[in-house]
Amino acid sequence: MRQSLTSASRSLLVATSFLALALPASAAENMTIVTFGGAFESAVDEAFLGPFSKENDVTVVREQYDGGLAKLRGMVEAGNTTWDLIDLESNDAITGCDEGLLQKLDTKLLGDTSDFIEGAVLPCAVASMVWSTIYAYDTSRLTTAPTTIGDFFDTAKFPGKRGVRKSPKAALEWALIADGVPVAEVYDLLGTPEGVDRAFAKLSTIKNDIVWWEAGSQAPQLLADGAVTMTMAYNGRIRTAQLDDKRPFEVVWDGQVYDYEWWGIPTGAKNEAVAAKFIEYASSPDNIWKLSNYIPYAPPRSSATDKVAKDVIPHLPTAPENFKNALQVNSEFWADNLDSINNRFLNWLGQ
């Protein structure tokens, strides 16, 4: 793990740690939230932000980003944090806490935490849902249905372009699984130079057929446009395209790479009390399940799953049929190794 930025940032982290942020939000307060946008933000609006802002007279300002900590790090170092609440991937939540970019979480906001799925509460963040990276295809364009991660890499049997997120995360894991590595051994192997070499070698077999995407909304659009035959995607985005746009897409769950999404409060947030109140609201057993009814990401509290609509449950990453060959993202691995592996990834892209 990386150490905190400076002694000043550590002091700021302590000074702004929200140990007593469960105070009621006063009238006409503001909260700036940054998310990955698209269907997820729309679902958060419906499930949480709309009711919360109405009940507490809070004006919500929305911003979008594509992940990473560069912008947040710049804000904190400059002493000018303009975000109050941030939607984070796991490795960013861990690194953000280590570097003093996120405030310590007061777990009292969460009530009884015993029903949270293991690992769903971190020192500086709490899981908002369980999401998954899967791949999908258009059933109107393929006469034979792919069923495995190996099929994603098989351009002889399934010709055409592949949509892949422009990141080594999930892509390298898939490459190893497609190359015959059991999911239980993926990170042990990826933690070795030989494993990284093997993953890049497998990914290279489809390099010329890859269409890279960066924003989650691009994946279903590439598929809809016929620009790719199959695409890596977030499961919720594909389900939204199926329901809202009536797209004939099918999800392949084999080798799904699942992870938590997190709420965190940036160090120096100007409206931290309102953000903490939102976390308390959105994380409560009475509310946390509601997100799943708007986008099929699973609640991280086990007591909440039974409250999700029955027709939604089969589309959740945690549904038994979808979970047979699933791989949980090793967030500690990526927090420790993302920079070095990403440098190699960028060099590989340029070759």
Side-chain angles (χ1 to χ4, degrees):
M1 289 295 179
R2 286 181 283 273
Q3 299 301 311
S4 301
L5 291 175
T6 64
S7 59
S9 67
R10 289 195 295 270
S11 298
L12 182 58
L13 174 63
V14 173
T16 57
S17 116
F18 53 109
L19 295 175
L21 293 182
L23 299 173
S26 59
E29 291 190 280
N30 297 323
M31 180 179 72
T32 297
I33 177 174
V34 59
T35 74
F36 288 85
F40 175 67
E41 183 179 291
S42 298
V44 170
D45 276 346
E46 294 287 348
F48 304 138
L49 289 176
F52 174 80
S53 60
K54 184 177 181 180
E55 290 177 22
N56 295 278
D57 195 15
V58 172
T59 299
V60 177
V61 179
R62 297 163 181 81
E63 292 189 28
Q64 296 179 8
Y65 81 144
D66 294 327
L69 295 172
K71 188 170 183 178
L72 177 60
R73 189 178 289 114
M75 288 181 182
V76 174
E77 289 178 338
N80 184 29
T81 302
T82 60
W83 295 341
D84 301 309
L85 184 71
I86 184 169
D87 167 31
L88 298 144
E89 290 186 281
S90 291
N91 58 291
D92 287 337
I94 292 169
T95 303
C97 192
D98 285 351
E99 293 190 4
L101 305 178
L102 300 173
Q103 300 183 25
K104 291 293 185 182
L105 175 68
D106 179 9
T107 56
K108 292 179 181 178
L109 297 172
L110 309 177
D112 181 4
T113 60
S114 62
D115 67 333
F116 273 92
I117 299 172
E118 184 178 357
V121 179
L122 293 175
C124 300
V126 60
S128 60
M129 50 84 165
V130 184
W131 61 281
S132 185
T133 298
I134 47 79
Y135 79 87
Y137 65 96
D138 188 328
T139 59
S140 69
R141 298 177 186 272
L142 284 180
T143 55
T144 301
T147 58
T148 68
I149 287 295
D151 291 339
F152 188 84
F153 286 78
D154 190 345
T155 53
K157 184 177 180 180
F158 300 96
K161 298 292 185 180
R162 305 297 198 255
V164 179
R165 183 187 178 189
K166 199 172 185 179
S167 168
K169 285 180 61 181
L172 295 188
E173 287 95 325
W174 275 8
L176 290 179
I177 296 170
D179 205 38
V181 178
V183 294
E185 299 174 17
V186 165
Y187 285 109
D188 287 340
L189 186 58
L190 199 56
T192 68
E194 296 78 14
V196 175
D197 288 345
R198 182 174 171 180
F200 273 104
K202 184 65 175 180
L203 195 59
S204 293
T205 64
I206 60 168
K207 183 179 181 181
N208 293 336
D209 294 305
I210 292 176
V211 177
W212 300 102
W213 57 263
E214 298 183 63
S217 58
Q218 293 175 296
Q221 193 60 53
L222 286 171
L223 202 57
D225 292 343
V228 298
T229 299
M230 309 173 190
T231 186
M232 172 187 287
Y234 306 134
N235 73 287
R237 302 285 182 140
I238 296 300
R239 185 57 180 160
T240 297
Q242 290 172 332
L243 294 175
D244 294 353
D245 302 325
K246 310 303 179 185
R247 299 292 184 186
F249 296 165
E250 188 69 31
V251 171
V252 177
W253 290 97
D254 181 60
Q256 62 148 312
V257 179
Y258 72 97
D259 197 6
Y260 297 119
E261 196 82 357
W262 304 86
W263 295 126
I265 298 179
T267 296
K270 297 176 176 61
N271 300 294
E272 57 190 52
V274 186
K277 189 173 181 66
F278 173 82
I279 286 177
E280 181 179 30
Y281 176 89
S283 302
S284 72
D286 291 337
N287 294 319
I288 199 168
W289 60 272
K290 295 176 181 177
L291 181 72
S292 301
N293 286 344
Y294 295 101
I295 193 167
Y297 296 138
R301 300 189 86 135
S302 56
S303 63
T305 301
D306 289 343
K307 299 177 182 178
V308 177
K310 298 301 182 186
D311 60 336
V312 172
I313 291 177
H315 301 281
L316 299 179
T318 52
E321 284 300 308
N322 303 335
F323 219 55
K324 291 179 178 178
N325 195 38
L327 173 67
Q328 182 175 5
V329 170
N330 187 322
S331 303
E332 296 280 351
F333 172 85
W334 282 112
D336 288 341
N337 296 284
L338 180 60
D339 287 347
S340 61
I341 292 180
N342 193 54
N343 285 337
R344 176 165 177 178
F345 177 73
L346 295 175
N347 289 333
W348 174 82
L349 286 177
Q351 294 172 353

